[in-house]
Amino acid sequence: DSGVTQTPKHLITATGQRVTLRCSPRSGDLSVYWYQQSLDQGLQFLIQYYNGEERAKGNILERFSAQQFPDLHSELNLSSLELGDSALYFCASSVGHQTPTSEQYFGPGTRLTVT
Amino acid sequence: GDSVTQMEGPVTLSEEAFLTINCTYTATGYPSLFWYVQYPGEGLQLLLKATKADDKGSNKGFEATYRKETTSFHLEKGSVQVSDSAVYFCALAQNSGNTPLVFGKGTRLSVIA
């Protein structure tokens, strides 16, 4: 158990809908990262927050947004969902904000299925 | 941009066999290199890392050496166990700035008794 929790574990929804994925980082970790894992694209970095501020942005679609709250939990909002958004979404956390020196701990993921 | 290429799987080995999973990278400068492991139904876990050329990362019997001249970071284990069955990801991150992890596509390993 990494100490990172993600809810829900599974989510099934229809095209055009909006969903919110939630992540609670390990106690003491200030950074939260979101990743998307799909069969065709592999594991892709979406966005990073550090202590409430956006720190780095990857291949995140405009239909997707995220935020980190004062209690350091984070939410990833996905809207106008398409079939291609079906994937496993991982959250990771770390103490610091620099990847090489601050180990990332991954949650178990949320599996999103868009029908 | 930076990228990581891993050998395609799946790889199936008998218990106690020798394991090699190839990983090469393309990047500017000298990034840090990582191997992550994903067991069924779980998130990724850091297995080992190396931060500069000729460094060897090791953990749980797995090893990988950072080879600058061949831009490679191959994962090896001398004797695999059934419990090593998982998906293995090679990744890199630049050592400066706020750069994210760049992952390879992953290699599924199945070890049979």
Side-chain angles (χ1 to χ4, degrees), chain A residues 49-67:
Chain A
Y49 280 83
Y50 177 75
N51 206 19
E53 304 278 331
E54 183 184 302
R55 195 78 193 185
K57 211 164 186 172
N59 299 321
I60 187 165
L61 299 172
E62 281 191 20
R63 301 183 284 109
F64 295 2
S65 64
Q67 54 184 321

Side-chain angles (χ1 to χ4, degrees), chain A residues 23-32 49-53 67-75 91 93:
Chain A
C23 168
S24 292
R26 291 186 326 151
S27 177
D29 284 359
L30 299 178
S31 266
V32 169
Y49 280 83
Y50 177 75
N51 206 19
E53 304 278 331
Q67 54 184 321
Q68 186 179 29
F69 294 86
D71 67 353
L72 300 176
H73 91 272
S74 178
E75 293 181 356
C91 167
S93 73

Side-chain angles (χ1 to χ4, degrees), chain A:
Chain A
D1 184 351
S2 66
V4 178
T5 59
Q6 289 187 247
T7 56
K9 205 172 169 94
H10 301 278
L11 200 46
I12 301 174
T13 189
T15 53
Q17 294 299 304
R18 173 191 166 93
V19 297
T20 298
L21 312 184
R22 183 188 166 104
C23 168
S24 292
R26 291 186 326 151
S27 177
D29 284 359
L30 299 178
S31 266
V32 169
Y33 309 77
W34 285 98
Y35 294 87
Q36 180 193 59
Q37 186 179 35
S38 61
L39 280 174
D40 51 344
Q41 299 286 337
L43 192 59
Q44 299 230 336
F45 167 72
L46 296 178
I47 197 163
Q48 177 199 3
Y49 280 83
Y50 177 75
N51 206 19
E53 304 278 331
E54 183 184 302
R55 195 78 193 185
K57 211 164 186 172
N59 299 321
I60 187 165
L61 299 172
E62 281 191 20
R63 301 183 284 109
F64 295 2
S65 64
Q67 54 184 321
Q68 186 179 29
F69 294 86
D71 67 353
L72 300 176
H73 91 272
S74 178
E75 293 181 356
L76 179 67
N77 300 297
L78 315 176
S79 61
S80 303
L81 285 166
E82 302 174 359
L83 294 177
D85 297 327
S86 296
L88 198 48
Y89 291 84
F90 285 109
C91 167
S93 73
S94 66
V95 171
H97 58 80
Q98 296 227 313
T99 297
T101 54
S102 200
E103 180 176 343
Q104 292 183 32
Y105 294 84
F106 283 75
T110 293
R111 181 169 294 283
L112 173 66
T113 303
V114 182
T115 61

Side-chain angles (χ1 to χ4, degrees), chain B residues 35 46-50 55-65 73 75-76:
Chain B
W35 276 100
L46 179 63
L47 181 59
L48 53 84
K49 73 175 190 182
D55 264 4
K56 179 187 278 190
S58 61
N59 186 23
K60 299 181 182 178
F62 290 89
E63 291 183 342
T65 301
F73 193 54
L75 183 68
E76 296 182 335

Side-chain angles (χ1 to χ4, degrees), chain B residues 5-12 20-22 105-109:
Chain B
T5 303
Q6 284 180 242
M7 64 186 283
E8 294 210 6
V11 173
T12 303
T20 300
I21 300 178
N22 289 338
K105 294 247 178 192
T107 303
R108 182 176 298 278
L109 169 67

Side-chain angles (χ1 to χ4, degrees), chain B residues 3-84:
Chain B
S3 65
V4 174
T5 303
Q6 284 180 242
M7 64 186 283
E8 294 210 6
V11 173
T12 303
L13 294 174
S14 297
E15 213 166 19
E16 299 183 6
F18 185 86
L19 168 71
T20 300
I21 300 178
N22 289 338
C23 169
T24 57
Y25 67 90
T26 302
T28 53
Y30 304 108
S32 289
L33 301 175
F34 306 81
W35 276 100
Y36 279 81
V37 58
Q38 184 179 25
Y39 296 104
E42 298 183 14
L44 280 73
Q45 301 173 27
L46 179 63
L47 181 59
L48 53 84
K49 73 175 190 182
T51 57
K52 60 183 189 299
D54 300 325
D55 264 4
K56 179 187 278 190
S58 61
N59 186 23
K60 299 181 182 178
F62 290 89
E63 291 183 342
T65 301
Y66 190 137
R67 300 281 187 209
K68 184 181 70 174
E69 59 279 2
T70 54
T71 62
S72 65
F73 193 54
H74 304 322
L75 183 68
E76 296 182 335
K77 186 175 186 185
S79 175
V80 294
Q81 304 300 312
V82 171
S83 57
D84 294 326

